[in-house]
Amino acid sequence: MCLILLAVKAHPRWPLVIAANRDEYYDRPTAQPAYWEDAPGVFGGRDLRGGGTWLGVTREGRIAALTNYRAPDLQREGRPSRGRLVMDFLRGSQDGQDYLSDLSQKASGYNPFNIICGVGSRLFWYSNMGGGPEPIGPGIHGLSNRLLDTPWPKVLRGKEGLARALIAARADAAETQNGSAEAESGGAEQEKLMRRLELEGVIKRVGADSAPLDRSERRLVAKLFALLRDRAIAPDSDLPDTGVGLEWERLLSPIFISAPGYGTRSSTIILGGTSFTFADLSFCGVSPSSFPKLLNQRGQGQGEEGWPAPGHCTADRSAHPHRGKKAHW
């Protein structure tokens, strides 16, 4: 992942809410989220080159996600895949704190990373660039390619958007409970599109709860997908200097990245309660007709409904300033 927004115990219904974008080279082979044949209780995508994953959950409530720490000068070839750290936690039985404490003893052997893991809403964060392991307390948090809650523009913008979405979710729940006409009529098209995505398998239940999504869940998922679609480029004065040059700092500053050879490959929403609601939109090899028009605007190089066209991930790395190297954003 390259942006993880999370709300811990910030909503009375969902103790954990995650909205995340995975940014990666378009030509890196990837399997879309599914239950794993070699670990049937794990649900998540797979990196078909490195063998690990960037984000996953289990039927028992385990969850883990990873971002790279952007430090081009510290990248070394031949180091182990960081995605396997997420995979190992999901397959294991340690709690998040113990797992990260053990990991910290060998983390210097990996390229720079952040990892979040835990069970339910009891999450912990660690970075081998000097952070943690430490618990993630209640509230709204954001993690990109620095340390937890580093105030990069996309992190601040994302945290504000997540907070607004949760406030709207509370209001929507109250309207629904009161049976107001606004709750019955408002967002009907949005809800219809979310139902379609649910039927197509884009939105799944992971865990004991197998009931269909209700109106409040569908509307929150739609709002969070819209947030993750934000392409606003930060002003130069707000950009960090991470060693990739000003042009690439600009290209990497939006919540949703679309750059030569590299960009947002998938958006994932997780709502955690007694089980997980897992919604994932992957932007490679999927018909644009699967994606709701409500969440997008047309744009250059995209499918007719605004999402990247199915062939988008065949883009060559030649335009990328670090062609041939592992992603380090």
Side-chain angles (χ1 to χ4, degrees), residues 24-28 248 259-263 311-324:
E24 183 54 271
Y25 290 116
Y26 296 135
D27 63 356
R28 190 175 181 103
W248 274 92
Y262 182 90
H312 197 52
C313 289
T314 62
D316 184 72
R317 290 193 192 186
S318 58
H320 197 283
H322 298 272
R323 181 178 70 174

Side-chain angles (χ1 to χ4, degrees), residues 32-33 43 193-205 221 225 267-269 277-282 286 290-292:
Q32 295 183 16
F43 187 90
L193 289 166
M194 289 298 102
R195 285 187 179 185
R196 178 180 175 185
L197 293 179
E198 188 177 1
L199 290 172
E200 292 182 5
V202 173
I203 305 175
K204 292 181 179 292
R205 297 282 200 189
V221 169
F225 273 143
S267 294
T268 305
I269 310 298
T277 298
F278 193 110
D280 183 89
L281 287 176
S282 296
V286 179
S290 298
F291 305 131

Side-chain angles (χ1 to χ4, degrees), residues 224-268:
L224 295 179
F225 273 143
L227 170 62
L228 294 176
R229 188 72 177 94
D230 187 343
R231 289 174 178 250
I233 295 175
D236 287 357
S237 58
D238 294 339
L239 295 175
D241 181 3
T242 61
V244 298
L246 179 58
E247 179 183 358
W248 274 92
E249 296 289 5
R250 290 169 179 157
L251 290 170
L252 298 171
S253 69
I255 289 175
F256 188 103
I257 295 171
S258 182
Y262 182 90
T264 299
R265 292 280 302 269
S266 63
S267 294
T268 305

Side-chain angles (χ1 to χ4, degrees), residues 35-36 39-44 55-64 86-92 118-120 205-208 270 274-276 278:
Y35 285 107
W36 295 359
V42 177
F43 187 90
L55 171 66
V57 299
T58 73
R59 298 181 192 272
E60 293 76 31
R62 300 174 71 80
I63 184 168
V86 174
M87 180 180 70
D88 290 345
F89 176 78
L90 294 173
R91 286 173 156 176
V119 180
R205 297 282 200 189
V206 180
I270 297 175
T274 56
S275 61
F276 293 116
F278 193 110

